Amino acid sequence: MNTEDETPLDDALVSTLAVIEGQPLESRAAAYGQLHEQLREGLEGGDVPPRVAG
């Protein structure tokens, strides 16, 4: 992987994965499921402009 192409989101994902890997085996599936859901929501919502508060 080229370090020039890395973003803060890449770093955050790597950190999140490290935390998940440090958990007991029984907890990992739920943590990976939650991460999957967050990533899916981010990808599916990527085409929708953010709402303006008010």
Side-chain angles (χ1 to χ4, degrees), residues 3-19:
T3 57
E4 293 176 8
D5 296 332
E6 290 183 17
T7 66
L9 291 176
D10 293 334
D11 293 338
L13 179 58
V14 169
S15 295
T16 299
L17 292 171
V19 168

Side-chain angles (χ1 to χ4, degrees), residues 7-52:
T7 66
L9 291 176
D10 293 334
D11 293 338
L13 179 58
V14 169
S15 295
T16 299
L17 292 171
V19 168
I20 292 172
E21 283 297 314
Q23 295 178 0
L25 185 59
E26 300 81 29
S27 304
R28 290 184 199 169
Y32 279 123
Q34 184 178 16
L35 177 60
H36 174 266
E37 190 64 22
Q38 290 171 348
L39 293 171
R40 184 191 60 77
E41 287 175 3
L43 288 171
E44 289 180 356
D47 295 338
V48 178
R51 292 186 194 182
V52 177

